[in-house]
Amino acid sequence: YVTHYGTYDDARVISLAAACSDIADEDSIDQAIFQRAGELDVAIPEHFKILPFESSTKRTQSEIKENGATVAIEKGLADLLLTADVAFSGPALADVAALSGKGLRVIAVLAIRGNAKECAGLIGLHDPIRPDAPALIRELNDLGVRVTMITGDGRVTAQAVASQLGLTGDVRTPADLKNDPS
């Protein structure tokens, strides 16, 4: 799923995301972006600088040339990238909530020209659960085994996926666990 803002369209969002990805990387997100770029037959701008994914900032950065100017691209966790200084962050955050509620992992794509940051769009990725997983979880629960799901997804996405699996209970973030590890 792709959404876009301002003057961008879906194809441009995918092309910018691909310019901020590494084809040689076996990262599933990058591979999905390149697959979609191929399906849409979009031109991918060549990056002249790329900073690989950094787990502490949850983003990848690259720089491309566009009409003789340098444009920085950021691709990463929407909740962290969509700050108040980013154009279209309001509607984008509303879309993040809606997409996350459907169990999608949401990636934001930002274009930065000088000091002006804008959200070009969002990419919602779906990793379907295995069809047999809910039945297995029910069976384990019936046997008295407590099933816990650990994921790198955000709270809303994790809750949606847990619901699809038939898991109940609290969803806790790493920050929650640091504050109360019990």
Side-chain angles (χ1 to χ4, degrees):
Y1 181 86
V2 179
T3 188
H4 59 271
Y5 307 97
T7 61
Y8 297 92
D9 61 15
D10 290 1
R12 184 70 175 142
V13 172
I14 293 294
S15 73
L16 292 176
C20 202
S21 301
D22 184 357
I23 191 79
D25 192 354
E26 292 189 18
D27 178 74
S28 60
I29 292 172
D30 286 356
Q31 294 303 314
I33 289 168
F34 283 120
Q35 178 180 344
R36 187 67 179 140
E39 292 167 358
L40 294 174
D41 196 28
V42 298
I44 301 171
E46 185 175 339
H47 59 258
F48 64 88
K49 179 179 179 184
I50 189 163
L51 298 173
F53 180 78
E54 177 59 50
S55 60
S56 65
T57 62
K58 305 290 187 206
R59 72 186 75 204
T60 301
Q61 299 171 299
S62 69
E63 291 182 3
I64 62 172
K65 287 286 185 191
E66 191 171 69
N67 300 325
T70 299
V71 179
I73 310 298
E74 289 188 356
K75 176 189 75 179
L77 184 64
D79 292 333
L80 293 180
L81 267 64
L82 296 171
T83 56
D85 62 332
V86 175
F88 308 112
S89 63
L93 285 169
D95 288 340
V96 168
L99 294 170
S100 295
K102 296 177 182 177
L104 299 177
R105 177 179 291 175
V106 185
I107 306 299
V109 180
L110 274 55
I112 306 161
R113 292 173 177 81
N115 291 327
K117 293 182 181 183
E118 63 182 343
C119 180
L122 304 172
I123 301 171
L125 302 164
H126 179 65
D127 188 10
I129 62 171
R130 290 177 50 128
D132 59 339
L136 176 60
I137 289 169
R138 281 191 305 276
E139 184 179 332
L140 289 169
N141 283 331
D142 291 346
L143 293 171
V145 176
R146 181 176 161 221
V147 178
T148 301
M149 179 178 79
I150 299 174
T151 178
D153 290 329
R155 182 187 305 269
V156 176
T157 301
Q159 184 63 56
V161 173
S163 178
Q164 293 169 17
L165 290 168
L167 292 171
T168 59
D170 294 334
V171 173
R172 299 177 62 191
T173 66
D176 296 334
L177 292 174
K178 285 180 185 175
N179 292 333
D180 180 14
S182 58

